[in-house]
Amino acid sequence: MTKDFTSSIRTVEDWPKKGISFKDITTLLKDAELLSASVEEMAAPFRKDKVDVVVGPEARGFIFGVPVALALGTGFVPVRKKGKLPAKTVSVSYELEYGTDTLEMHEDAIRKGQRVLLVDDLLATGGTISAVMEMCENIGAEIAGLSFMIELEFLNGREKLAGRKINSIIKY
């Protein structure tokens, strides 16, 4: 039976700024059964693919990325904002609505030729996950797919990821 994930997501209007309907996953995370089911649904489409490692951007990509990695029997690579990792890093900068941001991961986190699954809580415009994908591909990794808990279809983020295997559990 399919779980009713949608009713477990709290919508907070006008947060973090006016006009935004923020999708709050903390209400899903506190329910052990729903959390377990969501991780399984995020991992399931990639079980038969050869995934060497799961990569997730901070902070909510960590929440789902680590258990998805465990479900797939792989390791996890964190992607952090600039200046948060202690060893030598690779980075990519990308455009935000107002300005730019930079993401980093350890340069030895992924080896050339490894197949990676990118995991995050939300696909909105696709900017963050596109930057993560670019960083992985620059190292020589192959993208096995992308998995999200929530997709905001009206923001057309999927268009930036055209040609990729994409899984999203809840679509708004």
Side-chain angles (χ1 to χ4, degrees):
M1 182 174 114
T2 301
K3 300 288 180 194
D4 182 14
F5 296 113
T6 305
S7 67
S8 71
I9 303 295
R10 173 175 39 208
T11 299
V12 181
E13 296 299 337
D14 298 323
W15 197 86
K17 63 182 184 177
K18 189 161 182 61
I20 302 291
S21 293
F22 183 81
K23 303 304 181 197
D24 179 14
I25 62 167
T26 63
T27 47
L28 176 143
L29 296 174
K30 68 182 182 180
D31 183 311
E33 186 178 323
L34 286 175
L35 176 57
S36 180
S38 67
V39 168
E40 179 52 34
E41 288 204 24
M42 291 177 78
F46 304 97
R47 285 200 180 279
K48 292 184 180 176
D49 298 340
K50 184 184 178 304
V51 174
D52 296 309
V53 68
V54 171
V55 175
E58 71 173 85
R60 293 182 303 264
F62 295 1
I63 293 170
F64 289 108
V66 169
V68 167
L70 290 172
L72 295 174
T74 70
F76 175 78
V77 172
V79 172
R80 306 262 351 240
K81 298 209 175 182
K82 186 175 181 152
K84 301 288 185 181
L85 292 170
K88 192 169 181 187
T89 62
V90 293
S91 66
V92 66
S93 294
Y94 65 105
E95 297 295 320
L96 297 170
E97 189 175 355
Y98 301 105
T100 61
D101 204 356
T102 301
L103 295 173
E104 297 180 326
M105 73 178 163
H106 284 131
E107 74 172 3
D108 60 356
I110 298 172
R111 291 182 314 281
K112 184 177 181 175
Q114 282 191 304
R115 290 179 46 82
V116 300
L117 173 63
L118 306 182
V119 172
D120 205 356
D121 69 318
L122 180 77
L123 172 58
T125 65
T128 300
I129 207 70
S130 291
V132 174
M133 191 166 52
E134 178 184 337
M135 191 167 30
C136 291
E137 289 178 329
N138 286 346
I139 291 174
E142 182 182 333
I143 306 302
L146 305 97
S147 194
F148 304 94
M149 184 68 222
I150 299 170
E151 180 177 353
L152 303 179
E153 293 179 302
F154 59 92
L155 292 176
N156 302 314
R158 192 174 279 257
E159 290 176 10
K160 280 190 177 176
L161 311 170
R164 306 296 180 159
K165 181 176 181 179
I166 302 170
N167 175 52
S168 53
I169 308 304
I170 300 171
K171 295 178 182 173
Y172 293 98

